[in-house]
């Protein structure tokens, strides 16, 4: 029950949760948009990967920086950055996954004022022979840039441990989805959302 109270508190106010982690554990916090961010490398660097989902508040400042087609995630994330609600972040990572995130990357770099800003340009055509080699180069470059930004060495052993941690998390989420598919009343959709 104590764990559920912690999960609920973190889900209800993720920014307060991140502030507490930074104060108590003294770890850097790296914000990211999109599930394609290399969270394992952030974790291996001794930082906390923090998914930015956007604001629950009205948007006023971000509108002057964004194109009309930008989604609510981009608008809300930029709004929170411009209003100082993401002040606990040490930096941010932008996987180039859609037009809005790519444009946000440049706007964020010029206006948000965080310690560091990293782009991750992932391969688009995964069925090419060159995609694997390109992805390795992208991850090695990200590892080097992140290491420099945080002043932390990232060893292969740390990466292996972080991959194991994240794979364990993914396995637990998978098991939770299987449980819910077999018994929909076992866990509600809103509880799954809180956990994620």
């Amino acid at each position: 029950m104590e764990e559920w109270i912690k999960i609920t508190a973190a889900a209800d106010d993720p920014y307060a949760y991140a502030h507490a982690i930074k104060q108590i554990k003294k770890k850097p916090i790296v914000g990211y948009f999109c599930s394609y961010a290399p969270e394992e490398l952030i974790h291996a660097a001794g930082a906390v990967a923090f998914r930015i989902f956007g604001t629950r508040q009205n948007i006023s400042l971000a509108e002057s920086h964004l194109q009309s087609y930008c989604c609510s995630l981009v608008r809300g994330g930029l709004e929170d950055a411009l209003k100082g609600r993401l002040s606990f972040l040490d930096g941010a990572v932008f996987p180039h996954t859609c037009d809005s995130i790519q444009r946000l990357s440049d706007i964020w770099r010029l206006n948000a004022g965080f310690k560091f800003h990293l782009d991750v340009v992932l391969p688009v055509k995964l069925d090419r022979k060159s995609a694997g080699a390109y992805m390795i180069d992208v991850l090695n470059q990200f590892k080097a840039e992140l290491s420099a930004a945080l002043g932390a060495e990232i060893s292969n052993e740390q990466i292996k441990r972080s991959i194991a941690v994240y794979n364990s998390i993914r396995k637990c989420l998978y098991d939770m989805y299987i449980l819910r598919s077999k018994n929909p009343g076992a866990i509600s959709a809103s509880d799954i959302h809180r956990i994620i």
Side-chain angles (χ1 to χ4, degrees):
M1 190 60 160
E2 183 180 333
E3 288 80 12
W4 185 247
I5 292 169
K6 289 178 184 177
I7 288 170
T8 301
D12 289 346
D13 193 350
Y15 295 173
Y17 178 74
H19 275 287
I21 287 175
K22 190 160 189 160
Q23 293 299 316
I24 295 166
K25 296 192 177 186
K26 308 292 186 205
K27 288 187 170 195
I29 305 209
V30 179
Y32 70 94
F33 290 88
C34 186
S35 57
Y36 291 113
E39 295 174 84
E40 293 88 344
L41 287 173
I42 295 169
H43 182 266
V48 174
F50 183 85
R51 178 82 182 253
I52 300 169
F53 285 108
T55 191
R56 297 176 184 173
Q57 309 294 321
N58 289 330
I59 295 174
S60 59
L61 299 178
E63 292 297 329
S64 64
H65 298 279
L66 298 170
Q67 301 86 350
S68 60
Y69 63 80
C70 290
C71 68
S72 61
L73 171 69
V74 167
R75 291 176 187 287
L78 182 59
E79 184 73 17
D80 280 348
L82 295 174
K83 288 212 170 157
R85 291 191 285 256
L86 296 174
S87 62
F88 55 85
L89 293 180
D90 291 277
V93 176
F94 294 83
H96 283 215
T97 53
C98 68
D99 289 343
S100 293
I101 294 290
Q102 288 181 44
R103 296 298 61 82
L104 177 63
S105 173
D106 295 330
I107 294 165
W108 189 285
R109 182 189 331 271
L110 294 171
N111 297 284
F114 290 97
K115 182 175 144 186
F116 69 88
H117 174 104
L118 302 174
D119 290 303
V120 180
V121 183
L122 303 166
V124 177
K125 296 188 177 191
L126 300 177
D127 60 345
R128 305 292 169 112
K129 284 184 178 184
S130 59
Y134 175 77
M135 185 65 175
I136 290 169
D137 288 345
V138 166
L139 291 175
N140 280 329
Q141 179 179 348
F142 177 73
K143 175 185 164 190
E145 290 173 350
L146 183 65
S147 178
L150 294 174
E153 290 298 318
I154 304 171
S155 71
N156 287 339
E157 193 55 43
Q158 289 167 305
I159 294 170
K160 286 178 187 176
R161 283 195 301 268
S162 293
I163 289 170
V165 166
Y166 275 82
N167 283 344
S168 175
I169 292 168
R170 290 180 187 108
K171 171 75 168 80
C172 289
L173 290 173
Y174 174 80
D175 291 345
M176 184 178 60
Y177 285 126
I178 294 298
L179 171 68
R180 188 163 193 272
S181 72
K182 291 179 180 177
N183 183 1
I187 185 168
S188 70
S190 60
D191 285 346
I192 288 176
H193 183 263
R194 280 187 188 95
I195 292 167
I196 291 172

